[in-house]
Amino acid sequence: MRIPLSYVLKRIGFLLMVMWTAATINFILPHLSPKDPVAEQVQQKISSGGLSAESAQEMQEALRTLYGLDKPLWQQYVKYLWNTFRFDLGRSIYSYPREVMDIIGQTIWWTVGFGGTATVLAFVIGTVLGALVGWSKAPKFLSALIPPLAMFSAVPSFILALVLIYFMSFKLQQWTGGAFYFPLRGGYSSETIINIADLNFWKDVIWHSILPALSMLLVSTGGWALGMRAMMVTVEGADYITFAEAKGLKNRRVFFRYALRNCMLPQITSLAMQLGTIVTSATLVESMFSYPGIGNRLGTAISQFDYYTMYGIIFFLVMGIAVATFIVDMIYPFLDPRISYGS
Amino acid sequence: MGKTKGFLSYVRRNPALGWGFGILLALFLFTTVGQLFVVRENAYPLKVPVNKPPSAQYPFGTDSQGKDLLAGMVVGTGMTLSIGMIAGVIGLGVGTILGFTSGYYGGIFDTVVKFIVDVLMTIPSYLLLLLIATTVTDPGSMKTVEMALILSIVSWVGPTRTIRSQVLSMKERAFVMMAKLSGMSGIEIILKEMMPNLMPYLAISLAGAVSGGVMGSLGLEALGIGNRREPTLGMMIYWVRYYGAFLRGMWWWILEPVIAIALVFIAFLLISIGLDEVANPRVRRKV
């Protein structure tokens, strides 16, 4: 299988344009607004009683120089683009001089862990379930699962998170007399020591990630199942399925090798389209659970008026999605040899 | 009268549409007729005793700020729905204009529109909203209209995409060719020939844009970005978390906005399933 070079170049060009657009929006918006991140941060420090008026003035000047805000606008823009493309996202202004990249590096793995697991599980379960419901030889009772899953898929996952917190954590604790309940918040118990070599730490982490993951899982499984079922109904009527059955192939083989494989392509396309939604819902779910991932960190940055961290995290997430979309675009020709990329 | 009857008998064949409109109508009545029965002021802080579970006097209970939650829900549901409505209508309006002109006329304008839409489809709208909302306004004391206008910055992308692709395929159909040959102008063809045929798609786009707007407002407000003085559904979620309603077992305060939000989204889901059947009657779905 050969992918034409023009297709690859086009996708790379698109990726670069998305990066440039995101970086430029990130640069221009703050300059259009009447707000001043530095002044606001200093104001916060004054109101929390940590600064006197004179030292505040001094600090403001110093921060301006450090962030290069005293230079002409075009120099700032060029420097900003250059830094961004080297993945240098600047420093936090709330907890100066921590680098934003450093903050991201500490939090992203939590998000990838629970969000990634939930997404993969939802995709696999939803796809198989939807395929079975659409397949006329599968047990009929499965189709009873579709209406509730469709209902779940309509509700935002962070709203479902609230319901889960209430019933699975707070109420379960009351019903079982405190013997069995899921954690209310956080990524690990406060008394657990973070040690990636320790099995107990991992158990604790998984235990804490169940509810956040479940709130994403329940919401997205339905969407995958509905899409897959619609595809399956169409594919089952295709000639090659009839032919495979006429050859006397086993049902299992027809299902997996003939029907399922052909239904997978639209599913993978919509996985690529859904990446943004998945990241969005993960960030909000994290905030509901105060989970130590990047989404909750973004919420914290907003509440701390820490604009540089906020811009950095948003840019990083947009990049992640753009790169992931690019990768799916590159894999796609291998999955579907029928598509021609000539034009 | 005949039209109502026609609609009712159609809904019998398309129950999803009926249920969707039914739920939406119920929410609409709750928030409009409801205002006749509650004291609007009680939806704001420091008006009633705090932390009271549902009782005869306060059927929905009260929250930690001293709001009567029945009044809060009546006022807040209406606010959240109207935020979504404004953002959705603006989104559909812009989307219709851009989708029809770029799809029908093509050319460099179409290339530009398609490119911008593709880029904005890759950048998650929520992150863009977060960026805009925190930068250009004061998070925490944004006006309700401002919120709707900010949401409409992204709400046109989906409708533009849907309408443009429908126009592209309809452009090649015989009746459009016929109209062109008979000397109709582009505007006339768009308004008289294509628009009526795309009505179901416009309706689907509107439903999507409105529910997208509601979703965006909830996401922002859940993080405290919005008008903290107003009892919108998203702000209620913010206060639930702020005051730790979970740890205090204030179930009424948690479940009421959750149920209202779930009803809104389920209504829009059912409406779009129902409209999908109007648009493609051949694809009979059995949800």
Side-chain angles (χ1 to χ4, degrees):
Chain A
M1 179 64 216
R2 249 177 71 85
I3 319 173
L5 190 64
S6 63
Y7 173 76
V8 178
L9 288 179
K10 228 182 200 169
R11 300 315 307 176
I12 291 177
F14 184 72
L15 177 67
L16 289 176
M17 281 309 284
V18 171
M19 288 176 82
W20 175 76
T21 311
T24 306
I25 292 177
N26 241 351
F27 179 80
I28 292 180
L29 263 185
H31 284 276
L32 285 179
S33 95
K35 290 205 279 189
D36 182 344
V38 174
E40 238 173 82
Q41 191 57 236
V42 171
Q43 203 58 45
Q44 289 294 316
K45 291 244 157 72
I46 295 175
S47 61
S48 62
L51 278 177
S52 66
E54 302 92 67
S55 55
Q57 186 62 35
E58 225 171 277
M59 180 174 174
Q60 195 162 331
E61 296 301 320
L63 280 173
R64 270 180 201 293
T65 321
L66 280 170
Y67 282 92
L69 297 175
D70 48 350
K71 298 212 178 64
L73 203 57
W74 69 269
Q75 272 187 22
Q76 288 185 40
Y77 181 59
V78 172
K79 179 126 178 57
Y80 179 80
L81 282 186
W82 170 240
N83 283 344
T84 304
F85 281 83
R86 292 183 304 144
F87 287 101
D88 174 5
L89 298 176
R91 292 169 192 277
S92 159
I93 192 164
Y94 180 83
S95 40
Y96 193 84
R98 268 195 82 187
E99 286 193 27
V100 175
M101 234 14 224
D102 184 39
I103 294 176
I104 292 173
Q106 264 189 2
T107 49
I108 186 71
W109 300 112
W110 294 92
T111 308
V112 170
F114 98 88
T117 315
T119 305
V120 170
L121 279 179
F123 185 78
V124 172
I125 297 173
T127 303
V128 172
L129 196 66
L132 284 172
V133 174
W135 185 246
S136 56
K137 290 170 197 69
K140 280 285 149 276
F141 69 90
L142 281 171
S143 49
L145 286 171
I146 287 291
L149 279 176
M151 293 293 149
F152 273 129
S153 74
V155 180
S157 45
F158 71 99
I159 295 297
L160 189 64
L162 295 177
V163 180
L164 287 179
I165 294 174
Y166 180 70
F167 284 107
M168 306 293 281
S169 184
F170 178 75
K171 270 289 161 189
L172 207 57
Q173 188 173 9
Q174 279 189 341
W175 289 332
T176 60
F180 178 84
Y181 61 96
F182 289 97
L184 194 66
R185 63 196 300 280
Y188 48 88
S189 317
S190 50
E191 65 270 13
T192 308
I193 301 152
I194 302 184
N195 175 12
I196 53 170
D198 186 3
L199 198 67
N200 283 327
F201 169 68
W202 285 106
K203 270 190 202 153
D204 195 41
V205 166
I206 290 170
W207 182 238
H208 276 76
S209 69
I210 289 178
L211 282 192
L214 201 61
S215 35
M216 285 185 71
L217 186 76
L218 284 175
V219 167
S220 47
T221 306
W224 300 124
L226 288 179
M228 192 65 185
R229 191 191 59 169
M231 271 309 292
M232 201 67 181
V233 172
T234 329
V235 165
E236 208 183 0
D239 290 342
Y240 58 83
I241 299 284
T242 320
F243 182 64
E245 278 167 355
K247 277 201 296 189
L249 293 179
K250 285 210 177 68
N251 265 334
R252 171 192 284 278
R253 192 175 158 86
V254 177
F255 176 74
F256 281 108
R257 303 296 282 281
Y258 287 73
L260 194 66
R261 211 182 143 199
N262 279 294
C263 295
M264 281 308 289
L265 292 159
Q267 288 289 98
I268 289 172
T269 315
S270 62
L271 181 65
M273 304 261 303
Q274 292 287 310
L275 281 173
T277 321
I278 292 169
V279 169
T280 304
S281 58
T283 49
L284 280 164
V285 166
E286 277 177 12
S287 291
M288 296 299 121
F289 285 96
S290 308
Y291 200 74
I294 198 167
N296 187 37
R297 191 65 189 77
L298 178 61
T300 316
I302 291 170
S303 63
Q304 289 171 338
F305 300 91
D306 189 350
Y307 288 98
Y308 292 99
T309 306
M310 199 185 97
Y311 297 142
I313 292 179
I314 290 181
F315 182 77
F316 180 84
L317 290 177
V318 172
M319 276 316 84
I321 293 159
V323 170
T325 313
F326 174 76
I327 293 172
V328 175
D329 280 338
M330 287 296 109
I331 299 176
Y332 206 71
F334 294 98
L335 296 176
D336 192 358
R338 288 169 303 184
I339 293 179
S340 73
Y341 293 88
S343 53
Chain B
M1 197 62 221
K3 272 209 166 146
T4 331
K5 227 176 185 175
F7 179 74
L8 286 178
S9 70
Y10 175 71
V11 155
R12 203 169 299 165
R13 280 183 291 135
N14 192 346
L17 196 65
W19 277 106
F21 275 122
I23 295 173
L24 214 52
L25 185 69
L27 284 169
F28 179 73
L29 290 178
F30 172 72
T31 185
T32 49
V33 179
Q35 300 221 10
L36 304 175
F37 296 95
V38 298
V39 187
R40 208 186 146 89
E41 276 73 49
N42 286 355
Y44 293 87
L46 306 175
K47 292 291 188 296
V48 292
V50 296
N51 303 340
K52 291 270 176 278
S55 62
Q57 198 186 355
Y58 303 113
F60 279 36
T62 68
D63 74 0
S64 296
Q65 287 182 317
K67 295 178 194 162
D68 174 9
L69 283 173
L70 176 59
M73 289 297 291
V74 166
V75 176
T77 308
M79 279 181 174
T80 297
L81 282 177
S82 50
I83 289 176
M85 263 327 248
I86 299 173
V89 168
I90 294 178
L92 180 73
V94 176
T96 309
I97 296 170
L98 284 181
F100 274 105
T101 47
S102 81
Y104 185 78
Y105 293 107
I108 185 85
F109 178 64
D110 181 44
T111 317
V112 172
V113 169
K114 183 178 183 302
F115 180 77
I116 295 174
V117 167
D118 280 347
V119 170
L120 287 181
M121 291 295 288
T122 313
I123 299 174
S125 56
Y126 177 69
L127 294 181
L128 201 57
L129 284 175
L130 214 51
L131 202 64
I132 297 168
T134 47
T135 316
V136 301
T137 69
D138 188 14
S141 57
M142 196 189 290
K143 289 192 194 69
T144 316
V145 182
E146 280 176 354
M147 170 66 96
L149 291 180
I150 285 177
L151 291 168
S152 57
I153 293 176
V154 295
S155 68
W156 59 274
V157 181
T160 307
R161 200 182 126 93
T162 317
I163 294 167
R164 181 181 167 276
S165 65
Q166 289 299 327
V167 168
L168 277 182
S169 75
M170 186 168 276
K171 199 163 77 164
E172 308 299 327
R173 300 263 291 274
F175 70 95
V176 176
M177 296 287 180
M178 222 27 229
K180 233 185 247 179
L181 282 177
S182 71
M184 277 173 106
S185 70
I187 300 280
E188 265 182 305
I189 293 177
I190 288 175
L191 291 178
K192 291 188 185 153
E193 301 288 330
M194 296 174 116
M195 201 92 102
N197 282 300
L198 287 180
M199 267 311 163
Y201 288 97
L202 296 184
I204 293 174
S205 294
L206 180 64
V210 174
S211 72
V214 173
M215 182 79 101
S217 82
L218 292 176
L220 291 178
E221 288 172 347
L223 295 184
I225 304 164
N227 195 336
R228 294 198 191 156
R229 290 179 46 78
E230 299 290 352
T232 56
L233 294 179
M235 274 303 158
M236 246 183 244
I237 303 287
Y238 174 73
W239 294 123
V240 160
R241 286 193 18 86
Y242 187 89
Y243 285 100
F246 292 107
L247 296 168
R248 298 147 77 192
M250 295 170 71
W251 55 269
W252 60 94
W253 193 9
I254 304 163
L255 294 184
E256 283 159 15
V258 165
I259 290 170
I261 291 167
L263 284 177
V264 169
F265 285 112
I266 289 171
F268 279 113
L269 173 80
L270 291 171
I271 288 175
S272 63
I273 291 175
L275 286 173
D276 215 30
E277 188 165 313
V278 178
N280 309 304
R282 264 182 268 176
V283 191
R284 292 257 175 238
R285 295 200 177 153
K286 30 158 195 175
V287 167

